[in-house]
Amino acid sequence: MAPVERLADKLEAPELDDRNYRVIKLPNKLEVLLVHDPDTDKASASVNVNVGSFSDADDMPGMAHAVEHLLFMGTEKYPVENAYSQYLTAHSGYSNAYTASTETNYFFEVAASAESGSEPAADGVDGVDGVDGTNETAPTDGSTESPLYGALDRFAQFFISPLFLSETLDRELRAVDSENKKNLQSDNWRFMQLDKTLSNPKHPYHHFSTGNLQTLRDEPRKRGVEIRKEFIDFHHKHYSANRMKLVVLGKESLEQLESWVVELFSSVKNKDLPRNRWESALPYGSDQVLTQVFAKPVMDTRSLDFSFTYQNEERLYETHPGRYLSHLIGHEGPGSILAYIKAKGWANGLSAGGMDVCPDSGLFHISIRLTPEGLKEYKKIVEVVFQYIALIKQSGPQQWVMDELKAMGEVDFRFKQKTPASKFTSRLSSVMQKPLPREWLLSGDRLIRHFDSRMVGQAIDCLKDDNYRLTVVSQDFPGDWDMKEKWYGTDYRIEKVPEDLQETIRKAIKSTAEERPADLHLPHKNEFIPTRLTVEKKEVDEPSKVPTLIRNDVGLRTWWKKDDRFWVPKGSVVVALRNPLVSVTPANAVKTTLFCQLVKDALNEYSYDAEISGLDYSLDTNSLGLSIDVSGYNDKMPVLLEKVLVSLRDMVVKADRFQIVKERILRGYRNWDFQQPFHQVGEYTKWLGNSSGWINEQYLAELPHITPEDITAFIPLLLHQVHIEVLVHGNLYKEDALRMTNLIESTLRPRPLPLSQWGVTRNFVLPSGSDYTYRSTLGDPANVNNCIEYYAFVGSLADQRLRAMTLLLAQLGDEKGFDTLRTKEQLGYIVFTGSRIASTTLGYRVIIQSERTPEYLEQRINAFLVSLGELIENMPQEEFDGHKRSLVNKRLEKLKNLDQECTRFWNHISSGYFHFKQVDTDVEHLRPLTRKDMVEFFKHYIHPTSPHRAKISVHLVAQSNPKEVAGSLTSAEQEEKVVGVIGKFLTSGGVDVDAGKLASRFEKVDIAGGDQVALLAGIKSYLQEEARVPEEQATEVVKQAEQMMGTVLPSLGIEIQAKEEDGPLTPPPEVKDTVYIEDVPLFKAGLQLSAAPRPLVDLSEYEELEPKL
C-alpha cells in the first residue's frame, strides 16, 4: 500500500485554539483533517462528498437526497438498519446529514471517552458495544475504550458497503416525501424553488432538489425503472474516495486518529472521478435576465428581490471582493439604501450578499422587506438601488472600506471560540472542498489578506443594467398571477421588465452625484470597531460555576462573574426590568411588544455600526417584564448600553413609524397560523399549563385597537416602577459591573417594585388519573399536516429525583421513539420524544406532525409507550447502565463558549430557582437510579393504563383532514367509488374486468376504514384467480395499485391504515375516555396551581456586597 501523504502539520488558528491539526491524504486519495482536542468531551466526524442535487438525473429529481437517507439503513458489516443510531444514542451521540447542490454532508457526534466523569457499569466494563447485534473484532490498540472508534467503524461503512435494503426503500422514500410535504407551505422553500424553476433549464440549478414519491418511486416505476438499482448505481457512479473530505475530531493523539482513519477508511473505493463542474451554461441565460417575477406568498409578506448573475469567488479567498459589495449595499446606517427608503416609509429591512452556485458561477442577491407604501413604489426603490450601485461604481474601490472589514475579520478570527464538535467537523469537511491552501482551512473564508482594487472593481462590474432579475412578492399585488410553479404550487407571473423601467435603470446606473438623492452616500468610518482587546488571564484551579451577587437592594440585584474560562475580550450585560403589568392582559402584552419594536426601529441606524463590529443588543418582552441584552466585544459596551437605555426612557412615538411597525407586527400575528404545525403546538401546551400568558389569536384581537396615544400613555407605567435584575459577565471587572449598574439605575430612575408585587409564573397541576384533550383547527387551508403534542405530567420541577427520572426516561425512549414512530410506522417526518420542562413542573412528551389524524397518532403513541415500558422492564443491565452513563455524559458536557455560560447563568436567575449547580445535582440524582426505579416510575406516571397517569394532548387539525372530507360521502358511497376506480385502473392496464366478480373480492374488506393491505390482497387474488395473470405480472400491478391508492383513498376522505411492513402493529391499549377542553378558563379554574419558584439555595451564599460607587 502506498504511504499516507502529509499535506499540512499546522493550521493558521485562533489565538486561544489549543487543538492540534494535521491534514493527510490516504492512498485512495481520501483527504482527511485530523483534530486532536485534549479538552473535548465530544468527539465527531464528518464526510463531505462532492455530489449533490446538481447530479440528479433530469427524470429522477431528488436522487442525491434519497441516497443520503438510504445510507443510514444498514451496511454489510452492520446490517441492522438502526445499528448506527443505536450505537450513537448509547454513547451520548447523534447524527445527521444534508444534501446541497454540489455536496452531501454526513456527520455525527459522540462521547469523547467511555466514562466522561461517570462511574463504571456494575460489571466494571463499558457493556454497551454490541447493542446493534454485530460481532466486531476488537482492536488491540485500546480503541475499545473510545466510543469514537466504534462510531467511525460504523460510519465508514456508509461509503464502503451500504446495503440499500429493499425492505427499507419504500419507508425512506416516504420519509423523503414527508420531508418535502413539511416544506410545501414554507415561503423560503417555495421561492427558492421558484427561482430555480425559472432559471436556465440547461443548468442543474433548475433541478427540484428534495424529491418526492412521485419523482423517486411512482414515475420511475411507470417507466419500468428498477429504483433500488438506480440508487445503487448513483452511489457507485458518484461516491468516490477522491471526491470525499473527512474531518475527525477527538481526544486521542493525531497519531492514534491517523491510525484509525487509515484502518477504517482505506477501503473506500477510489474511482478517480473528476471534480464536478458545470461550465457549459449559466444559472440565468439570456431568457432569464431582464425579467420580473410577481409571486404570491403563503404568509403575508412583501419583498422586492434583485438577483444578478455574478462571479464565483471560491478562488478569491485572499481578497473576498464580494464582501465589499455586500457591506456597502447591505449597510443600514446613514447614507445607505435602507436608511433612505426607510425614511420614505417604503421598507423595514434589507440584506445583500453573493452566493456561489457552483464552481463556475454565482448570483448576487439584494432583498428588501417592503411596507405597503413601498410595494406601491417598488419601481422607485429599484431606481434608488441602481443609483446606489452608480455611487459605488463612480466612487471606485475604497481601501478604507476593505480595511475596516479586514480589521474586523482579524479580530473575530483571533478571538473565535469553539463551536460544538459536530458543527465544527460538518463545516470544515465542506470547507475542504474549496481550493484553499490546506494551512488556511480554518482561516481562509474568514480573513481578508489584502486589498485588491482590481478584484473589487471586477466584482462591482458584475452589477449591471442587463444581467438581473426582479422578484416582487405580495399576497395582493398584482393579483393576476397566471401560472403555478410545478413542485410547490406557488402562484406567479413572469414577464420582461417593461421598457420604461429598463430605461429608468439605465439612467440610474449612470447617474451623477448631482442627479442622485443627496441622502445617498458611502458610510462614515465605524467608531465601534474595538481597539481595547486586552484580557487579563489569571489561572484558576477550577472555573467558578456560579456568579457573585454584588448588589442586593430593595429595587435592584446585580450578579457578576469575571470570565475565568474562555479568556476573550467579550462580555454580556443582561438586564431584566420586572413589571407584572406587562402580561396582565393581552392588550398590555401587545403594547409592550409595540414599544420594544418602536425603540429598536428608532435605534437601527445608530446600532448597525456596533452590530457589524461584534457588539449587539436585544430588547424583548416576557411574561414578567422587559429584558435588555448587550453582548459582544466589551470595549464599547457601556456606550451602546447607555444609548439603548436613553432611547427606552425618552422614546417619542411618531405616528408614521408607529403605523409601519404596527402593520409589521400585525402581519407577524397573522402569519403565525401559517407556521409548520409542530412549531405551533408547543404554544398551546404552554398556554394550557400556565397560570398566566396568552396565545396568538388573543394578541391579534387587541392589536388593531391600539393607537400611538396608547403607547405614549403606557410607557411611564412600564418604566416608572420596576425591579431591576442585572447579570454582568465576561471580560468585565467588578467595578465595571457596578458602574454599569449605576448607569442603568441613574438613567431610568424607577421607583423600586416591592417583592410582593413582582408576579410569578406558575403551572397548573394535572390531577392524578386525569386525561384531557384540546383540539384546534389549523389556520392554513392548504396545509396537509395534523400535529399532536402528547404530554404526560410528572410533577414539580423542584423535585430533583423526579427530574432525574424524567431526563433518564427521555434518554431511554429517544432512539426507540424515532425508530418506532418515524422509521417503522412512518407516521411523519417530524417525530420528537423527550422531557418537557416548564416554569415549575415537568413531564414527558411526544410530538408528531403527520397527515394521519391526531386521534390515530394518539393511539400509536399509547402503543409506543406500552412497548417502551416493556423495553425498560426487559432491558439488560449493561444496556441500562450505558444509557445512564450516556445521559451523565450529556449533562456534564463542557461549555463551549462565553455565550453558553451566560445563557446558563441567566436561565437560572430568571427561573427564580437560582440553581446554578443544577447539572451537578442532576448527575448526583441520576447515578443511584436503578432499572427498578425507572420501571416503577414509568408504570406510575407514564403508562397509558396507569390509574395515576395525568395526561393532556393538544390536537392541531388540518383543514383538509380526510375525516372532514369524508363527511360528504357515506361509507357505501366510498366503497362504490373505490371499487369503480380499481376497475378502471385494471382495465387501463389491459386486464379484462368482470365488475361483479371484482366487487365480490372486497365484500369483507373495510374499505371506508382504509384497510389498504386487504384491498391490495383482493386485487391480487382477482388478478391471479379470475384474470389468470402470472404471479410476477400480478405483483407489479399490485405495486402500481398501491401507488394509485395513496392518492385515491385520501381524495375520497379515507384515511389509509398503517402498512404493517415489519409485522403487525402493536395494538393500542384500552384507555379511559378523554375529556375534551371546550372552555379553557373553566378548565384552568378547576385545577390547582403549583408552588411558585423559590431559590433552592439561600441567596446570601452568593453575596459579596460592597457600598455602591
Side-chain angles (χ1 to χ4, degrees):
M1 181 183 288
V4 172
E5 184 181 353
R6 191 75 58 85
L7 302 181
D9 269 323
K10 190 173 183 181
L11 270 59
E12 186 175 34
E15 188 174 284
L16 298 170
D17 192 338
D18 58 356
R19 293 165 170 164
N20 294 320
Y21 300 93
R22 178 181 298 169
V23 184
I24 61 172
K25 184 184 286 186
L26 303 186
N28 61 359
K29 298 187 180 179
L30 173 60
E31 194 176 353
V32 187
L33 170 62
L34 305 169
V35 186
H36 163 59
D37 187 339
D39 295 326
T40 189
D41 49 13
K42 288 289 187 181
S44 177
S46 173
V47 166
N48 188 285
V49 190
N50 174 220
V51 62
S53 62
F54 279 11
S55 299
D56 289 346
D58 288 340
D59 60 354
M60 209 166 167
M63 284 186 73
H65 184 211
V67 168
E68 172 225 304
H69 274 250
L70 290 164
L71 290 198
F72 286 81
M73 294 292 109
T75 60
E76 286 183 14
K77 186 172 182 180
Y78 298 98
V80 179
E81 66 181 69
N82 62 336
Y84 177 61
S85 59
Q86 276 187 328
Y87 181 88
L88 295 178
T89 301
H91 292 89
S92 314
Y94 74 96
S95 67
N96 211 333
Y98 68 81
T99 302
S101 299
T102 63
E103 64 180 25
T104 307
N105 192 290
Y106 303 84
F107 57 92
F108 71 80
E109 188 168 290
V110 72
S113 60
E115 300 302 326
S116 290
S118 79
E119 83 290 1
D123 59 3
V125 298
D126 182 25
V128 188
D129 283 341
V131 296
D132 47 22
T134 58
N135 295 311
E136 304 180 57
T137 302
T140 58
D141 60 0
S143 54
T144 51
E145 299 172 8
S146 171
L148 175 59
Y149 179 87
L152 284 172
D153 187 18
R154 289 157 178 80
F155 188 49
Q157 298 303 311
F158 283 26
F159 314 102
I160 297 170
S161 57
L163 289 176
F164 293 93
L165 293 167
S166 56
E167 59 267 31
T168 69
L169 189 63
D170 197 66
R171 283 206 311 259
E172 281 310 301
L173 293 184
R174 288 181 184 276
V176 170
D177 188 65
S178 182
E179 182 178 353
N180 179 61
K181 285 177 177 173
K182 170 182 71 72
N183 300 325
L184 287 178
Q185 290 301 102
S186 164
D187 281 328
N188 285 340
W189 282 91
R190 290 165 74 89
F191 294 138
M192 178 179 69
Q193 186 59 49
L194 179 62
D195 185 48
K196 296 168 77 168
T197 297
L198 297 179
S199 68
N200 186 353
K202 295 180 180 179
H203 193 281
Y205 184 66
H206 184 74
H207 284 177
F208 167 48
S209 57
T210 308
N212 57 30
L213 278 180
Q214 177 189 355
T215 67
L216 295 168
R217 189 191 69 180
D218 300 350
E219 291 299 327
R221 279 181 178 169
K222 286 179 183 177
R223 300 193 303 270
V225 172
E226 187 182 338
I227 57 174
R228 177 173 178 267
K229 182 177 182 298
E230 290 296 311
F231 296 131
I232 293 172
D233 289 348
F234 185 93
H235 187 275
H236 179 75
K237 179 180 178 181
H238 294 290
Y239 278 59
S240 173
N242 74 305
R243 279 187 175 176
M244 298 179 187
K245 309 297 181 184
L246 168 64
V247 179
V248 180
L249 182 153
K251 291 176 73 78
E252 293 77 12
S253 67
L254 293 176
E255 287 69 26
Q256 182 69 81
L257 294 174
E258 181 173 326
S259 170
W260 290 351
V261 166
V262 170
E263 175 194 350
L264 299 173
F265 286 87
S266 290
S267 296
V268 178
K269 191 171 181 180
N270 175 32
K271 300 157 191 170
D272 275 322
L273 299 178
R275 189 181 184 206
N276 275 316
R277 306 192 75 86
W278 294 270
E279 299 172 322
S280 60
L282 292 173
Y284 293 170
S286 57
D287 292 339
Q288 287 78 44
V289 296
L290 294 178
T291 56
Q292 60 180 7
V293 180
F294 298 94
K296 183 180 181 182
V298 171
M299 292 192 174
D300 186 7
T301 58
R302 293 177 300 271
S303 64
L304 169 63
D305 300 320
F306 301 71
S307 297
F308 294 86
T309 57
Y310 190 66
Q311 62 190 8
N312 178 283
E313 295 194 348
E314 67 173 15
R315 294 190 177 276
L316 306 181
Y317 48 78
E318 293 193 41
T319 55
H320 296 287
R323 293 189 190 176
Y324 183 94
L325 281 180
S326 58
H327 173 68
L328 292 181
I329 294 174
H331 209 280
E332 298 179 14
S336 66
I337 297 171
L338 180 62
Y340 180 80
I341 59 179
K342 186 178 173 185
K344 294 279 189 182
W346 293 345
N348 290 313
L350 183 152
S351 60
M355 176 183 81
D356 287 343
V357 173
C358 58
D360 305 289
S361 59
L363 294 171
F364 191 92
H365 295 293
I366 305 169
S367 182
I368 300 172
R369 298 195 302 276
L370 302 175
T371 64
E373 192 63 27
L375 181 63
K376 296 175 187 175
E377 303 290 353
Y378 87 91
K379 292 182 180 180
K380 291 184 179 178
I381 297 175
V382 170
E383 182 180 15
V384 170
V385 169
F386 278 95
Q387 285 176 329
Y388 196 86
I389 292 172
L391 167 66
I392 295 172
K393 288 176 179 287
Q394 291 166 22
S395 300
Q398 300 288 308
Q399 182 164 351
W400 71 267
V401 173
M402 199 59 112
D403 285 346
E404 283 193 350
L405 297 175
K406 181 174 180 288
M408 243 355 277
E410 289 168 353
V411 170
D412 285 339
F413 182 72
R414 177 184 170 191
F415 297 107
K416 188 179 184 306
Q417 300 172 78
K418 289 181 181 178
T419 54
S422 60
K423 184 176 180 181
F424 173 87
T425 59
S426 176
R427 180 180 172 277
L428 261 293
S429 67
S430 177
V431 169
M432 288 177 74
Q433 296 287 2
K434 299 179 180 181
L436 287 165
R438 301 295 91 174
E439 291 81 6
W440 289 0
L441 286 176
L442 300 178
S443 60
D445 60 352
R446 297 182 182 277
L447 295 182
I448 297 170
R449 307 286 167 174
H450 57 87
F451 171 68
D452 188 321
S453 178
R454 186 176 66 84
M455 287 290 104
V456 172
Q458 188 173 296
I460 295 171
D461 289 343
C462 289
L463 305 188
K464 300 184 288 188
D465 58 10
D466 62 357
N467 70 333
Y468 62 88
R469 169 189 282 167
L470 302 176
T471 302
V472 179
V473 173
S474 167
Q475 285 193 332
D476 308 310
F477 177 80
D480 57 347
W481 310 278
D482 55 2
M483 302 189 76
K484 197 174 284 285
E485 195 275 323
K486 178 178 180 179
W487 302 109
Y488 287 80
T490 305
D491 291 320
Y492 73 95
R493 192 180 92 206
I494 184 169
E495 62 189 27
K496 280 293 181 181
V497 176
E499 183 55 39
D500 60 336
L501 182 54
Q502 285 195 47
E503 181 60 26
T504 297
I505 290 168
R506 286 192 287 268
K507 288 180 179 178
I509 205 168
K510 296 175 182 175
S511 60
T512 63
E514 292 74 24
E515 295 169 324
R516 291 190 296 267
D519 288 336
L520 288 181
H521 55 79
L522 295 180
H524 51 246
K525 294 197 174 181
N526 189 349
E527 301 300 329
F528 272 99
I529 291 178
T531 54
R532 188 168 58 93
L533 298 167
T534 54
V535 178
E536 184 183 2
K537 186 173 181 179
K538 291 184 178 179
E539 295 297 334
V540 293
D541 293 333
E542 184 180 350
S544 173
K545 296 179 179 180
V546 301
T548 303
L549 186 58
I550 58 174
R551 274 201 52 186
N552 191 6
D553 306 342
V554 174
L556 185 147
R557 276 197 301 240
T558 298
W559 301 85
W560 163 75
K561 186 200 168 190
K562 172 74 171 69
D563 175 38
D564 56 3
R565 188 190 299 260
F566 301 106
W567 313 115
V568 289
K570 295 183 176 183
S572 292
V573 180
V574 190
V575 184
L577 304 177
R578 189 187 291 261
N579 185 336
L581 284 176
V582 164
S583 59
V584 167
T585 65
N588 276 13
V590 173
K591 289 175 190 174
T592 308
T593 298
L594 266 165
F595 171 58
C596 291
Q597 291 299 318
L598 286 164
V599 172
K600 289 159 81 170
D601 182 72
L603 274 170
N604 189 65
E605 282 189 39
Y606 176 86
S607 64
Y608 183 75
D609 275 351
E611 180 186 334
I612 62 175
S613 304
L615 179 62
D616 204 359
Y617 83 97
S618 65
L619 174 62
D620 295 302
T621 176
N622 56 55
S623 61
L624 300 178
L626 298 175
S627 64
I628 305 165
D629 183 348
V630 179
S631 58
Y633 293 104
N634 57 275
D635 183 12
K636 311 287 196 320
M637 185 174 283
V639 178
L640 182 58
L641 175 62
E642 182 175 17
K643 183 68 174 181
V644 172
L645 292 168
V646 170
S647 299
L648 200 70
R649 183 194 67 195
D650 298 342
M651 182 67 207
V652 175
V653 181
K654 298 177 181 177
D656 58 340
R657 295 312 301 172
F658 172 84
Q659 292 302 330
I660 289 171
V661 170
K662 178 181 175 180
E663 190 275 338
R664 189 173 71 215
I665 294 172
L666 182 63
R667 281 187 292 120
Y669 288 152
R670 287 174 178 162
N671 289 338
W672 192 89
D673 283 337
F674 292 85
Q675 295 180 99
Q676 294 274 359
F678 77 95
H679 286 311
Q680 300 182 41
V681 71
E683 290 301 306
Y684 286 100
T685 310
K686 180 181 176 182
W687 172 57
L688 292 167
N690 276 9
S691 61
S692 59
W694 315 98
I695 55 173
N696 185 72
E697 63 190 55
Q698 294 168 311
Y699 300 142
L700 185 57
E702 295 297 333
L703 182 57
H705 307 290
I706 297 173
T707 66
E709 293 74 24
D710 293 331
I711 302 301
T712 300
F714 187 63
I715 294 171
L717 300 177
L718 265 184
L719 302 178
H720 177 63
Q721 189 175 22
V722 298
H723 179 267
I724 301 172
E725 188 112 42
V726 183
L727 169 65
V728 181
H729 172 249
N731 188 41
L732 295 157
Y733 291 92
K734 185 176 182 179
E735 295 73 18
D736 298 322
L738 291 171
R739 246 190 308 273
M740 283 193 275
T741 300
N742 289 340
L743 174 64
I744 296 163
E745 196 174 26
S746 62
T747 304
L748 298 180
R749 296 189 175 278
R751 283 183 55 215
L753 184 73
L755 177 61
S756 60
Q757 297 176 33
W758 283 11
V760 292
T761 298
R762 298 199 288 176
N763 297 126
F764 291 108
V765 175
L766 292 182
S768 177
S770 61
D771 191 308
Y772 296 103
T773 299
Y774 178 79
R775 183 180 171 90
S776 180
T777 301
L778 287 157
D780 182 358
N783 165 65
V784 298
N785 286 308
N786 303 295
C787 191
I788 182 173
E789 178 164 357
Y790 177 115
Y791 175 69
F793 176 82
V794 171
S796 169
L797 189 57
D799 187 323
Q800 300 301 320
R801 190 165 188 272
L802 279 183
R803 174 186 164 95
M805 288 193 284
T806 304
L807 294 175
L808 183 53
L809 175 62
Q811 165 71 25
L812 294 168
D814 182 38
E815 199 279 331
K816 169 75 173 173
F818 189 89
D819 186 55
T820 300
L821 300 172
R822 181 182 147 174
T823 302
K824 290 193 168 69
E825 296 196 23
Q826 286 288 298
L827 295 179
Y829 183 75
I830 301 296
V831 171
F832 171 80
T833 62
S835 59
R836 180 183 180 96
I837 296 178
S839 298
T840 57
T841 59
L842 79 166
Y844 182 78
R845 67 173 170 176
V846 181
I847 295 176
I848 304 175
Q849 179 173 296
S850 172
E851 291 180 75
R852 299 189 179 278
T853 66
E855 292 80 9
Y856 179 78
L857 297 176
E858 179 136 346
Q859 288 183 350
R860 299 318 308 153
I861 291 170
N862 281 331
F864 158 69
L865 291 176
V866 170
S867 67
L868 178 58
E870 293 169 353
L871 175 75
I872 297 170
E873 197 160 1
N874 299 315
M875 185 175 285
Q877 185 61 44
E878 317 88 76
E879 191 175 338
F880 177 81
D881 289 341
H883 277 294
K884 198 167 59 164
R885 212 165 28 248
S886 180
L887 180 57
V888 167
N889 288 346
K890 289 177 185 175
R891 297 302 296 142
L892 293 175
E893 185 174 342
K894 293 177 181 177
L895 295 163
K896 300 296 186 294
N897 51 57
L898 203 63
D899 287 343
Q900 285 187 357
E901 184 174 58
C902 184
T903 299
R904 176 180 287 184
F905 286 156
W906 188 247
N907 285 343
H908 289 310
I909 291 168
S910 59
S911 74
Y913 288 106
F914 300 93
H915 195 12
F916 298 109
K917 296 185 179 180
Q918 179 72 67
V919 167
D920 297 331
T921 304
D922 285 344
V923 171
E924 179 186 330
H925 285 82
L926 280 168
R927 284 180 167 155
L929 291 178
T930 65
R931 187 158 50 88
K932 182 173 179 289
D933 293 332
M934 291 305 298
V935 169
E936 291 174 354
F937 167 80
F938 189 91
K939 286 182 175 179
H940 184 90
Y941 291 102
I942 310 298
H943 198 286
T945 62
S946 167
H948 307 288
R949 186 195 64 155
K951 183 232 93 184
I952 186 169
S953 291
V954 175
H955 292 184
L956 299 185
V957 185
Q959 293 186 34
S960 55
N961 188 357
K963 285 199 170 183
E964 295 177 11
V965 177
S968 61
L969 292 174
T970 66
S971 295
E973 289 172 329
Q974 288 175 322
E975 292 168 7
E976 181 183 349
K977 287 182 179 294
V978 169
V979 174
V981 169
I982 292 172
K984 290 178 182 177
F985 166 75
L986 295 178
T987 301
S988 69
V991 178
D992 291 330
V993 174
D994 182 316
K997 290 181 178 180
L998 178 64
S1000 68
R1001 296 283 168 171
F1002 308 114
E1003 287 177 354
K1004 296 183 179 180
V1005 176
D1006 183 10
I1007 295 178
D1011 191 348
Q1012 180 177 251
V1013 174
L1015 269 172
L1016 296 173
I1019 294 171
K1020 189 168 186 179
S1021 69
Y1022 177 83
L1023 289 170
Q1024 292 182 299
E1025 297 171 18
E1026 300 291 347
R1028 303 296 179 183
V1029 174
E1031 166 81 23
E1032 187 175 339
Q1033 184 183 343
T1035 300
E1036 185 58 34
V1037 172
V1038 169
K1039 283 183 181 177
Q1040 294 173 6
E1042 181 183 359
Q1043 299 161 19
M1044 178 267 295
M1045 293 287 184
T1047 302
V1048 169
L1049 295 183
S1051 72
L1052 296 173
I1054 299 172
E1055 182 184 353
I1056 302 172
Q1057 293 180 13
K1059 191 178 174 190
E1060 302 180 6
E1061 295 182 28
D1062 298 281
L1065 292 175
T1066 305
E1070 293 291 330
V1071 296
K1072 68 179 71 174
D1073 291 338
T1074 191
V1075 175
Y1076 282 91
I1077 302 168
E1078 306 291 347
D1079 184 324
V1080 173
L1082 187 63
F1083 161 71
K1084 291 185 175 185
L1087 300 178
Q1088 291 186 342
L1089 282 169
S1090 68
R1094 58 179 182 270
L1096 296 181
V1097 177
D1098 193 296
L1099 296 190
S1100 63
E1101 293 191 21
Y1102 302 123
E1103 287 184 342
E1104 187 181 290
L1105 306 180
E1106 292 181 4
K1108 288 189 286 184
L1109 292 178

